[in-house]
Amino acid sequence: AQSVAQPEDQVNVAEGNPLTVKCTYSVSGNPYLFWYVQYPNRGLQFLLKYITGDNLVKGSYGFEAEFNKSQTSFHLKKPSALVSDSALYFCAVNTGFQKLVFGTGTRLLVSP
Amino acid sequence: KAGVTQTPRYLIKTRGQQVTLSCSPISGHRSVSWYQQTPGQGLQFLFEYFSETQRNKGNFPGRFSGRQFSNSRSEMNVSTLELGDSALYLCASSSGTALDEQYFGPGTRLTVT
């Protein structure tokens, strides 16, 4: 079965510092990987995706993700965190016909 | 361009009742997917419709059903509600290919008492 794993329930980082939210995947074939963010009482917002090509993917709000095939990882990164980045982050893989399988989510807390 | 809209936003129902949730996709999108979000199980895929046809279905009992209309609007129905059906139900729309991102609505918060 195709899946993604987010090993950290919560990540704490100080404002201005770089942040990383981890995701590993288990996929047969080419992985279609996505990152979404969820703010309280809101739906999910798309951040970025990896389909093929460059291993470094740039997305919305200054986020980027690095696809690493040998380590089967797709970590989300941002060079300088903002307090407003505090939210719940989900990694997901498309397993076909728009079925997204999500990770368990990582809560990011950015302190002032 | 208007985003994905879901109605109602909040709903309180009693065990044994049935409920219908509605989703209007982004204009031009032909695919609508439904997800259930709970603290215990996380985000789980319910089903996906494309051009009025169900293309994919998650591992949920038959009490959960859906449909899509010719204008791409979609509804999902849950019959014989159980307490465990309390959740945030999210709808997402896209063009319909696996390469494309899905755009989510704000969700319908269903509480079953």
Side-chain angles (χ1 to χ4, degrees):
Chain A
Q2 306 197 82
S3 63
V4 292
Q6 294 180 245
E8 302 158 317
D9 289 337
Q10 183 164 309
V11 169
N12 298 306
V13 64
E15 188 174 34
N17 284 359
L19 70 86
T20 299
V21 182
K22 295 179 181 178
C23 173
T24 59
Y25 65 88
S26 174
V27 171
S28 55
N30 294 323
Y32 298 152
L33 298 165
F34 300 81
W35 276 102
Y36 286 86
V37 60
Q38 186 175 33
Y39 295 97
N41 300 317
R42 304 265 291 273
L44 277 68
Q45 293 180 32
F46 168 74
L47 283 177
L48 51 80
K49 65 182 177 184
Y50 174 82
I51 303 301
T52 187
D54 289 341
N55 290 339
L56 186 63
V57 179
K58 293 193 181 296
S60 306
Y61 314 119
F63 284 94
E64 57 191 27
E66 187 173 6
F67 174 75
N68 188 314
K69 189 173 183 178
S70 62
Q71 297 186 5
T72 62
S73 66
F74 188 55
H75 299 333
L76 182 70
K77 301 182 179 187
K78 189 175 182 182
S80 179
L82 299 172
V83 172
S84 57
D85 292 330
S86 298
L88 191 54
Y89 290 80
F90 290 96
C91 178
V93 60
N94 191 317
T95 63
F97 290 134
Q98 300 309 77
K99 178 180 178 179
L100 286 175
V101 173
F102 286 90
T104 50
T106 298
R107 187 165 301 281
L108 174 66
L109 277 175
V110 182
S111 54
Chain B
K1 201 182 239 188
V4 178
T5 58
Q6 292 187 244
T7 55
R9 290 292 311 277
Y10 302 91
L11 207 48
I12 299 175
K13 289 286 187 179
T14 304
R15 268 181 304 174
Q17 289 185 315
Q18 74 164 13
V19 67
T20 299
L21 312 181
S22 181
C23 172
S24 292
I26 290 171
S27 177
H29 283 181
R30 295 164 66 189
S31 169
V32 173
S33 302
W34 289 89
Y35 295 84
Q36 181 196 65
Q37 185 177 23
T38 60
Q41 299 299 316
L43 279 156
Q44 293 187 288
F45 174 81
L46 281 155
F47 30 67
E48 186 252 1
Y49 287 87
F50 181 84
S51 293
E52 303 179 66
T53 299
Q54 186 182 88
R55 292 197 301 184
N56 207 346
K57 188 177 189 305
N59 189 26
F60 278 82
R63 300 185 297 107
F64 292 81
S65 63
R67 59 177 175 168
Q68 187 180 34
F69 302 95
S70 59
N71 62 358
S72 294
R73 191 177 70 84
S74 177
E75 291 181 344
M76 69 162 279
N77 184 278
V78 187
S79 62
T80 319
L81 283 166
E82 301 178 359
L83 294 178
D85 296 334
S86 295
L88 180 68
Y89 289 89
L90 294 164
C91 149
S93 79
S94 74
S95 65
T97 76
L99 307 179
D100 290 331
E101 59 271 23
Q102 295 178 38
Y103 293 90
F104 284 78
T108 294
R109 172 76 61 187
L110 172 64
T111 301
V112 182
T113 61

